[in-house]
Amino acid sequence: MANGGQGVGHFRKNQVKRFGTVAYIWRMKTLKMRKPALFSFEECLWFLNRNYDDCLHHIEPGQLSKAICINGENIAFTLRADEQHLLVDLNHGGGDNFPEAALIQYIMEWFDLDRDITPFYGLLEKNKTLGYMAKDFAGFRLISIHDLYEALCWSIIGQQINLTFAYTLKRRMVEQYGQKLEVNGQSLYIFPRPEVLQYATVADLRKQQFSERKAEYLLLVSKMFAEGSISQEMVRQCASYEAQVALLTAIRGIGIWTANYALMKTLKQLQAIPYGDVGLLNALLNHALIKDKKDTVGIDKLFKRFKGWESYLVFYLWRSLSSKS
DNA sequence: ATCCAGGGGTCAC
DNA sequence: GTGACCCATGGA
């Protein structure tokens, strides 16, 4: 936690709010985190808000709200930014031992704030075709998914269907099996725990329009996480990146794409490339960096120049698929 | 209607 | 290890 320790909290106000017949009282507190160089909150916020309906956060102009579970406790927060800081408004259901340090750490990891991405920008600027990204996408960061289970479920959901539908499926799953926090009149959801989802049936998920296979994959992964036959720590402790890929792809439903996606988004293995990803391939075609979708030679050639920053290149290429117009 | 979507398993060779 | 085939369903 490089900058995280600088979080300075102070009470802002006390509020009483009513939801139905129940009144909740909570304190609002604002933490300040210094923004690192080459970080743009606006750029990340825009990406999170692209054209999709993500049920795991709520966005309003200039701010981003999310519910998470820290140390077994469900909390919610809202992120804003000023010139030099990220501002974190805490919404908390009670108790004086708010896990501030853990929340700051969460945000640091969410937007990859601990990383000096100067070397990546050096590589970008050297590239004739992609150099524009250093300017157009300045401050964009690898936005992570903290929980490996969630990342794997999300990538299984997203296999071979369009993203709009994928987000629809995720919302159905999360609204049925996840937890909901009502904050400032807004519903914020937390991704389901495997201990809960493991008891769903294929038929349950089929009703939500998951395919039979996907339902099987999701339930298998849920059972494995619930019983501990796979865990984030287990993957983290693998001796090598290759061993991590092997451990994950040994699970039915997790292929090379899914494994790399999860390793990139959760463990931030920057050498992870989600091979075969249609978005990646389309971005490469758009930039005329490959001849066709089978041009693996062209892909290898490009990524070789971005050694150690492959995931960042993938993420920036994905970013290039959506335009702000 | 037709092709595509941020794939993966299975099976033949 | 490579390639053909199937799965399933919404979007454009």
Side-chain angles (χ1 to χ4, degrees):
Chain A
M1 181 152 53
N3 306 351
Q6 299 173 3
V8 179
H10 61 272
F11 286 109
R12 210 158 63 109
K13 55 182 160 185
N14 295 326
Q15 290 189 353
V16 179
K17 191 101 180 177
R18 292 189 177 281
F19 297 111
T21 57
V22 185
Y24 293 89
I25 300 174
W26 72 87
R27 278 176 290 213
M28 274 189 82
K29 220 172 169 182
T30 300
L31 301 177
K32 286 175 97 168
M33 299 167 63
R34 194 177 298 283
K35 289 197 285 193
L38 288 177
F39 167 65
S40 164
F41 177 64
E42 293 70 24
E43 193 63 30
C44 293
L45 188 62
W46 182 85
F47 186 76
L48 283 173
N49 200 28
R50 283 174 293 171
N51 308 311
Y52 303 111
D53 173 37
D54 195 326
C55 59
L56 294 180
H57 54 250
H58 174 72
I59 292 179
E60 287 178 23
Q63 67 176 54
L64 168 63
S65 301
K66 188 172 177 64
I68 59 174
C69 180
I70 287 186
N71 304 334
E73 183 179 15
N74 293 340
I75 64 159
F77 62 92
T78 299
L79 270 182
R80 298 170 289 137
D82 65 19
E83 279 299 306
Q84 299 189 343
H85 303 94
L86 269 179
L87 305 173
V88 192
D89 292 322
L90 313 179
N91 304 303
H92 183 221
D96 292 321
N97 54 342
F98 192 95
E100 289 172 15
L103 176 56
I104 288 172
Q105 180 66 18
Y106 182 98
I107 293 165
M108 297 290 286
E109 289 173 10
W110 193 11
F111 295 106
D112 203 31
L113 300 182
D114 257 339
R115 196 180 310 280
D116 174 13
I117 62 171
T118 311
F120 173 62
Y121 271 61
L123 294 172
L124 265 186
E125 284 159 359
K126 274 199 310 201
N127 189 291
K128 279 199 193 105
T129 310
L130 302 176
Y132 77 94
M133 291 180 168
K135 191 164 162 246
D136 287 14
F137 308 155
F140 186 46
R141 295 268 172 162
L142 179 55
I143 299 173
S144 79
I145 297 173
H146 285 70
D147 182 51
L148 178 62
Y149 169 69
E150 177 186 328
L152 288 172
C153 287
W154 170 230
S155 49
I156 289 170
I157 291 171
Q159 288 169 4
Q160 187 58 20
I161 58 174
N162 66 72
L163 270 180
T164 303
F165 183 44
Y167 279 106
T168 299
L169 288 177
K170 181 167 83 165
R171 177 175 287 282
R172 287 177 188 157
M173 167 176 279
V174 168
E175 288 184 354
Q176 178 159 356
Y177 299 101
Q179 294 196 54
K180 175 166 75 172
L181 270 64
E182 295 279 356
V183 177
N184 296 337
Q186 191 64 45
S187 296
L188 299 174
Y189 291 91
I190 299 176
F191 196 81
R193 298 303 314 153
E195 292 80 7
V196 174
L197 198 55
Q198 67 169 330
Y199 296 115
T201 64
V202 170
D204 293 333
L205 296 182
R206 289 287 288 144
K207 278 183 216 150
Q208 298 185 334
Q209 288 178 285
F210 287 81
S211 69
E212 185 105 9
R213 291 286 166 75
K214 263 182 209 182
E216 290 169 8
Y217 299 164
L218 288 165
L219 297 181
L220 172 64
V221 168
S222 298
K223 286 186 175 76
M224 290 183 71
F225 271 88
E227 71 192 20
S229 51
I230 185 76
S231 70
Q232 188 152 342
E233 201 47 38
M234 211 178 287
V235 177
R236 187 187 301 283
Q237 285 175 1
C238 282
S240 67
Y241 160 72
E242 288 75 14
Q244 294 179 326
V245 173
L247 182 58
L248 289 176
T249 54
I251 300 169
R252 181 177 155 84
I254 299 178
I256 193 70
W257 177 85
T258 306
N260 276 301
Y261 180 89
L263 289 173
M264 158 182 172
K265 293 283 278 185
T266 298
L267 297 185
K268 296 185 185 175
Q269 290 286 22
L270 295 194
Q271 68 268 52
I273 303 169
Y275 292 98
D277 181 88
V278 292
L280 171 59
L281 293 172
N282 283 332
L284 293 172
L285 281 171
N286 291 343
H287 289 87
L289 288 164
I290 54 174
K291 299 193 301 286
D292 54 62
K293 290 190 176 179
K294 288 180 294 186
D295 182 8
T296 56
V297 178
I299 297 174
D300 289 343
K301 213 173 115 191
L302 174 65
F303 278 104
K304 220 169 189 174
R305 295 193 220 116
F306 284 83
K307 199 118 195 103
W309 295 94
E310 290 91 336
S311 289
Y312 258 87
L313 179 57
V314 170
F315 213 60
Y316 271 58
L317 286 166
W318 281 344
R319 165 66 186 81
S320 75
L321 293 170
S322 307
S323 77
K324 286 187 178 177
S325 62

